[in-house]
Amino acid sequence: MTLNWSMWASGTEDRNAWQKVADQVTQKYPNIKITLETSPFKDYFTKLGTRLAGGSAACIVSMQSLRTGGYVSGMRPLDDLIKKNNLDIGDFDSSIMSGLASGGKQYALPYDVGSLILTYNKDMFKAAGVEAPKVGWSVEEFEAAAKKLTGGGKYGFVAYPSALGMFSMILSKTGAEPMDSSGKLTLTTEQMKAGFQWYADLAAKQGVAPKVPGVDNNWAETQFLGGTAAMSVNGPWSVLELKAQAKFDVGLATIPAGPNGTKSYSAGSGFGISQSCPYPDEAFKAVSTMTSAEVLGQLGSVGRAYPARKSVQNKWYENAFEGSKPVIDAANASAKPFRTTSNWDPVEKLLAQYGIQAFNGQSTGAEVLSQVQQQAPA
């Protein structure tokens, strides 16, 4: 029996890591073969929505906590299969289990969870004579470092209107959140407008971040990896790519602390089963294996994922950058799960579409947020 599995991947290193996961399913269940289908993250959810709606999705569907609510109509709730197979889910981080649930039903089992952090170029810091960030450093210290690191075509930071990273920075700076407790979008509060304007002005007015040339979700990471920007918001899921591609020493730092201390969001991803899958029992066996302690420990040890299972999270640190543990521990202690509306993908696209105008000084933050709030689906 062959089961298709759809997953995002950013390159050969990424795809190889996931192919090994697919192979481990077959090692445990020789009658189950997994065909891995990958696409870039920026295209993945658009394609997935079309395939789920048309009943042609892969049996095993990779899902991100930010977007779960918008895709559940095409996915199978896993609660009955969890119970039927007596799967002990107590080892999974509760925040990411919640993030991959909707309406009281579990739609995916998690493979990773991560709190947003800053990655920084140690070489650029040393060359500019800037002290390395300490856990809990402030927004003021971050801005001062970014100014010293800017010059000669180089920038201290790279800012982009990508929701998870941007809203983590805004949360720490002003406490603003993009959604209220009832699930409604709240982009036009005074706190949010002030926070968004501050973040956009890192490029538009302060000039410590480059202007944004256009909509490209990979642009910020490209600026960081290419040595143009000294700091970037990131998550522990990117360690494998950074270790493989960075030509400099990478350090990790906490999100700069605002008046109420360091704040951050956490998010993660997992694997579910499409409604159109004709083999849900076999697909669940596969998903259970793909999220087992053995597999997640292996993913953690190569830096591909900060494991969603608490029992093997130490594996991530074995191959992480020097000094990572106190940073990740502090980020996890201060982070809260990133909650989104039930139709979040269009919000992400609108933020990118209009947001870059504020980053380039062509619109105010208030104008951008008003446009997104008005045009976002209810």
Side-chain angles (χ1 to χ4, degrees):
M1 173 184 298
T2 299
L3 301 175
N4 287 2
W5 167 27
S6 62
M7 181 61 191
W8 53 86
S10 58
T12 303
E13 293 274 353
D14 222 7
R15 184 179 169 82
N16 288 346
W18 295 122
Q19 185 59 55
K20 186 173 181 180
V21 171
D23 294 342
Q24 284 173 281
V25 173
T26 304
Q27 288 170 18
K28 184 170 183 179
Y29 299 105
N31 64 313
I32 301 176
K33 311 292 185 189
I34 305 292
T35 299
L36 175 62
E37 307 169 350
T38 61
S39 58
F41 185 82
K42 64 186 178 69
D43 302 324
Y44 176 83
F45 285 97
T46 300
K47 292 179 179 178
L48 177 62
T50 301
R51 293 184 67 184
L52 285 173
S56 62
C59 261
I60 300 169
V61 174
S62 303
M63 183 51 58
Q64 188 192 43
S65 59
L66 276 67
R67 293 170 164 84
T68 305
Y71 294 87
V72 296
S73 61
M75 295 177 66
R76 179 190 177 100
L78 302 183
D79 305 86
D80 59 335
L81 289 165
I82 291 171
K83 186 175 181 181
K84 179 180 176 180
N85 290 274
N86 295 312
L87 181 67
D88 183 2
I89 58 175
D91 190 29
F92 288 115
D93 178 276
S94 59
S95 69
I96 186 56
M97 284 291 282
S98 175
L100 293 170
S102 182
K105 297 178 180 179
Q106 195 69 41
Y107 284 93
L109 294 179
Y111 71 81
D112 82 339
V113 61
S115 302
L116 273 290
I117 51 173
L118 286 189
T119 50
Y120 70 94
N121 185 323
K122 288 185 176 181
D123 297 357
M124 289 180 72
F125 268 69
K126 288 176 185 174
V130 178
E131 185 180 358
K134 291 183 172 63
V135 170
W137 69 324
S138 68
V139 167
E140 291 74 22
E141 289 170 320
F142 158 75
E143 289 179 325
K147 287 175 184 173
K148 290 178 184 176
L149 289 155
T150 298
K154 306 288 186 181
Y155 296 88
F157 182 66
V158 56
Y160 183 82
S162 179
L164 194 54
M166 178 175 72
F167 286 131
S168 289
M169 293 285 282
I170 292 172
L171 175 69
S172 203
K173 169 72 173 173
T174 71
E177 301 204 48
M179 191 183 83
D180 65 20
S181 58
S182 69
K184 296 290 195 303
L185 206 59
T186 54
L187 296 180
T188 53
T189 65
E190 292 306 313
Q191 274 186 314
M192 179 58 76
K193 286 189 287 189
F196 182 87
Q197 191 66 62
W198 165 76
Y199 193 66
D201 280 348
L202 292 172
K205 289 188 178 177
Q206 293 202 50
V208 297
K211 299 290 178 66
V212 183
V215 177
D216 180 358
N217 289 333
N218 295 321
W219 177 77
E221 191 155 291
T222 300
Q223 298 299 297
F224 179 70
L225 282 171
T228 299
M231 293 181 281
S232 174
V233 186
N234 220 316
W237 46 79
S238 292
V239 166
L240 177 65
E241 184 178 5
L242 292 177
K243 285 186 80 85
Q245 297 186 29
K247 302 296 191 292
F248 50 83
D249 285 337
V250 178
L252 305 186
T254 48
I255 297 289
N260 295 311
T262 297
K263 303 291 182 185
S264 183
Y265 281 117
S266 66
S269 302
F271 311 120
I273 301 171
S274 66
Q275 284 280 13
S276 57
C277 180
Y279 310 110
D281 289 306
E282 288 77 10
F284 188 76
K285 287 181 180 178
V287 168
S288 299
T289 303
M290 292 157 64
T291 57
S292 65
E294 179 185 359
V295 171
L296 297 195
Q298 171 245 313
L299 285 173
S301 68
V302 299
R304 179 55 190 84
Y306 186 79
R309 283 185 176 272
K310 293 171 284 187
S311 63
V312 292
Q313 287 176 344
N314 64 303
K315 296 287 186 182
W316 187 87
Y317 295 110
E318 293 174 4
N319 199 45
F321 298 112
E322 182 183 354
S324 296
K325 194 172 193 314
V327 173
I328 297 296
D329 286 350
N332 288 345
S334 67
K336 58 195 302 184
F338 188 60
R339 305 296 184 194
T340 60
T341 62
S342 60
N343 200 356
W344 182 251
D345 220 35
V347 179
E348 284 262 22
K349 289 182 170 62
L350 288 167
L351 282 169
Q353 177 186 342
Y354 293 116
I356 58 174
Q357 297 171 16
F359 286 61
N360 293 338
Q362 299 160 323
S363 298
T364 66
E367 289 168 344
V368 167
L369 293 171
S370 178
Q371 286 175 307
V372 178
Q373 180 80 34
Q374 290 173 15
Q375 294 183 34

